[in-house]
């Protein structure tokens, strides 16, 4: 009788090398700069830096092991071998099944989910096309930087030595803050503003006609190909100035990104506790504390902003109830004001406990994409976005995540992010449109959000 793998994913998981070598080093004085330097070293063709709560940075690199899913197929790679299977229009289910085969491997994985996955989950099962919707890397080396120390885990001595040599080098003088952006901030954020106002007006008409309650409509801001943008330098400069819930820097699965996410799509702990953090309602932040306080008070009393936030929290509650134990869902925080770079937001947190037999990807399927990047109802909002936005969003409005084989998952909402794919590089920003919206104010809100990234764009070094 055969005792070999029962599924292709078990064969793949058996080919994933363990992180056999681990070493602990002294804490780094500047973990953001250290993580960025590791990324700049290009140890492998794919990498991710992911900052989690509490000022903990993770760096992961090595592309020998990965899994990628689109609407029709899923492909896993390890040890020079490739496994492919059909998804039958359910790529997230196939993706979760493949990752679950790693349950005995004691590994972390890093990846992203494209916004267009949402159409298969909530709107149009025939949508999605042939573009990748999900991608995850199981790294050959992982470095965790905390205030207590630096933990290096690697598949072998060669990978451990590469990282050890980099960490042993004296810190380079940071020059990202001294380099100039490729074009002026105001020129960047003004691009396409007039056309966006027309989209807002059409969306308001849809809402007043009763087609939907809210839509988060965005505009894309392409950046010039010359002189180009340095993603690591932009990340470091932007992180110095931002106050994100999560930050990330990556070159992974065809996307490049440097982002400062204002909120998480979801956080799932090993104990089954799950939470989501809807942010909706915005005012700009400026250098004057008194003016910021005035705007904060205005935000807390603005009927349009309060309505936009309340409907987001209501839907987040409903989506949590679908996967959580009865009676466990609660709003632990409601309408706090959180500073996020160039803006401040109304923020709430909804928590719960996963039902028995329900895992992190079940919660992800219910909560993705974040309500604050789509609208209410999600199905109607997704259809409105397909009508009013030009082209697919791709990574914008999707998620960047770090997960573990023991059931934990931390997924950041992709907003306030520099994105690159192929030869294209762009920014994108949106605003929550309700029946009370005015085009002028929503244009202004997108400009406020773009200022979280645009001033920190950095050109490559000569």
């Amino acid at each position: 009788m055969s005792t070999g793998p029962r599924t292709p994913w078990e064969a793949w998981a058996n080919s994933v090398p363990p992180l056999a070598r681990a070493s602990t080093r002294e804490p780094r004085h500047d973990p953001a700069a250290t993580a960025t330097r590791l990324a700049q070293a290009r140890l492998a063709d794919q990498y991710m830096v992911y900052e989690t709560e509490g000022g903990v940075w993770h760096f992961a690199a090595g592309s020998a092991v990965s899994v990628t899913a689109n609407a029709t197929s899923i492909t896993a790679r390890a040890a020079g071998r490739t496994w492919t299977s059909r998804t039958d229009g359910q790529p997230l289910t196939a993706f979760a099944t493949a990752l679950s085969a790693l349950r005995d491997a004691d590994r972390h994985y890093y990846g992203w989910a494209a916004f267009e996955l949402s159409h298969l989950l909530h709107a149009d099962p025939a949508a999605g096309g042939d573009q990748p919707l999900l991608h995850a890397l199981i790294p050959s080396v992982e470095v965790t930087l905390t205030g207590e120390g630096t933990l290096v885990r690697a598949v072998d001595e060669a990978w451990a030595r590469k990282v050890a040599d980099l960490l042993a080098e004296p810190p380079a003088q940071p020059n990202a803050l001294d380099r100039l952006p490729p074009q002026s901030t105001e020129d960047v954020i003004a691009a396409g503003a007039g056309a966006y106002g027309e989209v807002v007006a059409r969306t308001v008409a849809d809402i007043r006609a009763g087609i939907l309650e809210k839509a988060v409509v965005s505009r894309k801001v392409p950046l010039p190909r010359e002189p180009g943008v340095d993603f690591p330098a932009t990340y470091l400069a932007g992180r110095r100035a931002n106050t994100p819930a999560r930050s990330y820097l990556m070159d992974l699965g065809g996307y490049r990104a440097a982002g400062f996410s204002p909120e998480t799509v979801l956080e799932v702990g090993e104990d089954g506790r799950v939470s989501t953090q809807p942010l909706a309602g915005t005012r700009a932040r400026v250098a004057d504390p008194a003016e910021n306080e005035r705007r904060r008070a205005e935000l807390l009393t603005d009927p349009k902003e309060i309505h936009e936030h309340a409907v987001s929290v209501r839907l987040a509650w409903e989506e949590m109830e679908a996967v959580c134990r009865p009676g466990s869902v609660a709003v632990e925080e409601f309408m706090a004001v959180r500073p996020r770079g160039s803006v401040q937001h109304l923020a709430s947190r909804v928590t719960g406990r996963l039902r028995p037999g329900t895992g992190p990807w079940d919660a992800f399927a219910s909560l993705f994409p974040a309500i604050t990047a789509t609208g209410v109802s999600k199905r109607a909002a997704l259809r409105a976005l397909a009508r009013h936005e030009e082209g697919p969003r791709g990574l914008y409005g999707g998620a960047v995540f770090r997960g573990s084989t023991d059931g934990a998952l931390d997924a950041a909402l992709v907003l306030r992010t520099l994105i690159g794919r192929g030869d294209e590089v762009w920014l994108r920003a949106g605003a929550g449109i309700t029946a009370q919206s005015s085009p002028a104010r929503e244009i202004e809100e997108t400009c406020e959000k773009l200022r979280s990234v645009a001033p920190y764009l950095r050109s490559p070094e000569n």
Side-chain angles (χ1 to χ4, degrees):
M1 179 181 293
S2 173
T3 59
R6 292 170 294 175
T7 72
W9 311 128
E10 289 178 349
W12 168 64
N14 289 339
S15 299
V16 175
L19 287 177
R21 297 191 58 84
S23 63
T24 303
R25 297 172 175 271
E26 294 181 355
R28 314 301 293 183
H29 172 67
D30 189 341
T34 299
T36 302
R37 184 152 57 92
L38 291 171
Q40 289 172 316
R42 302 299 304 189
L43 294 173
D45 59 347
Q46 296 193 72
Y47 70 82
M48 182 186 286
V49 172
Y50 191 82
E51 178 193 3
T52 54
E53 194 170 14
V56 177
W57 269 263
H58 304 276
F59 169 78
S63 59
V65 183
S66 64
V67 57
T68 307
N70 61 26
T72 59
S73 65
I74 179 170
T75 300
R77 295 178 176 86
R81 298 177 60 192
T82 300
W83 295 263
T84 300
S85 180
R86 293 180 55 83
T87 63
D88 297 322
Q90 296 182 316
L92 184 58
T93 300
F95 189 75
T97 299
L99 291 175
S100 70
L102 293 167
R103 57 189 173 273
D104 298 326
D106 184 27
R107 297 296 295 273
H108 291 106
Y109 51 83
Y110 296 76
W112 51 258
F115 182 80
E116 280 61 45
L117 174 65
S118 61
H119 292 290
L120 279 75
L121 293 173
H122 303 290
D124 182 3
D130 59 358
Q131 292 296 311
L133 300 174
L134 293 147
H135 180 82
L137 166 78
I138 296 86
S140 299
V141 64
E142 183 177 31
V143 181
T144 299
L145 301 152
T146 72
E148 286 72 43
T150 302
L151 176 64
V152 180
R153 302 176 73 206
V155 295
D156 56 33
E157 177 63 32
W159 275 105
R161 176 51 54 193
K162 289 178 184 179
V163 170
D165 290 345
L166 285 170
L167 292 174
E169 293 177 1
Q173 290 298 318
N175 61 358
L177 302 182
D178 300 328
R179 284 149 62 185
L180 297 176
Q183 65 184 121
S184 78
T185 297
E186 296 308 308
D187 286 345
V188 169
I189 67 175
Y196 180 73
E198 296 172 5
V199 170
V200 171
R202 293 198 299 270
T203 306
V204 170
D206 284 352
I207 293 170
R208 291 177 178 172
I211 297 174
L212 71 163
E213 192 171 352
K214 171 189 171 182
V216 182
V217 181
S218 66
R219 62 184 178 99
K220 185 176 180 179
V221 182
L223 298 174
R225 295 186 180 182
E226 295 295 335
V229 181
D230 185 322
F231 278 73
T234 296
Y235 172 76
L236 187 58
R239 183 59 187 86
R240 296 282 194 250
N242 272 279
T243 49
R246 300 290 187 270
S247 73
Y248 40 84
L249 170 66
M250 72 178 199
D251 189 340
L252 186 64
Y255 278 109
R256 305 184 305 283
F260 317 101
S261 174
E263 63 184 276
T264 54
V265 178
L266 83 166
E267 302 158 49
V268 183
E270 298 174 20
D271 59 356
R273 184 182 187 273
V274 59
S275 72
T276 188
Q277 186 186 35
L279 271 67
T282 306
R283 284 293 185 276
R285 290 180 70 230
V286 293
D288 181 4
E291 176 61 14
N292 281 333
E293 183 58 32
R294 186 194 70 77
R295 296 183 185 193
R296 177 182 182 277
E298 182 182 86
L299 179 59
L300 286 166
T301 57
D302 186 300
K304 184 265 180 185
E305 306 288 6
I306 292 172
H307 175 259
E308 179 187 347
H309 186 81
V311 297
S312 299
V313 174
R314 183 194 71 205
L315 186 57
W317 177 290
E318 293 170 358
E319 292 175 341
M320 290 279 283
E321 280 192 319
V323 293
C324 289
R325 296 177 182 179
S328 70
V329 178
V331 178
E332 290 192 353
E333 179 181 60
F334 183 65
M335 276 183 48
V337 177
R338 289 279 178 268
R340 292 290 185 255
S342 60
V343 295
Q344 50 190 326
H345 290 296
L346 294 177
S348 295
R349 182 174 290 277
V350 185
T351 66
R353 293 278 175 179
L354 290 177
R355 292 178 180 176
T358 301
W361 291 105
D362 298 296
F364 187 88
S366 185
L367 290 161
F368 182 86
I371 186 60
T372 49
T374 48
V376 182
S377 69
K378 259 186 190 176
R379 180 185 295 268
L382 287 167
R383 290 173 174 168
L385 298 181
R387 289 194 302 274
H388 297 312
E389 291 187 345
E390 183 177 350
R393 285 184 171 184
L395 195 61
Y396 176 84
V400 169
F401 56 79
R402 178 180 188 263
S404 71
T405 55
D406 57 18
L409 179 63
D410 192 285
L413 173 59
V414 178
L415 302 177
R416 322 292 150 77
T417 297
L418 171 69
I419 302 172
R421 188 171 179 84
D423 293 333
E424 286 191 274
V425 179
W426 66 93
L427 301 175
R428 195 159 190 153
I433 312 304
T434 69
Q436 296 82 32
S437 290
S438 72
R441 169 56 198 151
E442 305 306 347
I443 290 172
E444 180 184 9
E445 182 171 321
T446 63
C447 292
E448 292 166 355
K449 292 172 177 176
L450 287 166
R451 290 189 184 100
S452 287
V453 184
Y456 313 107
L457 298 174
R458 295 294 180 261
S459 299
E461 289 184 289
N462 295 329

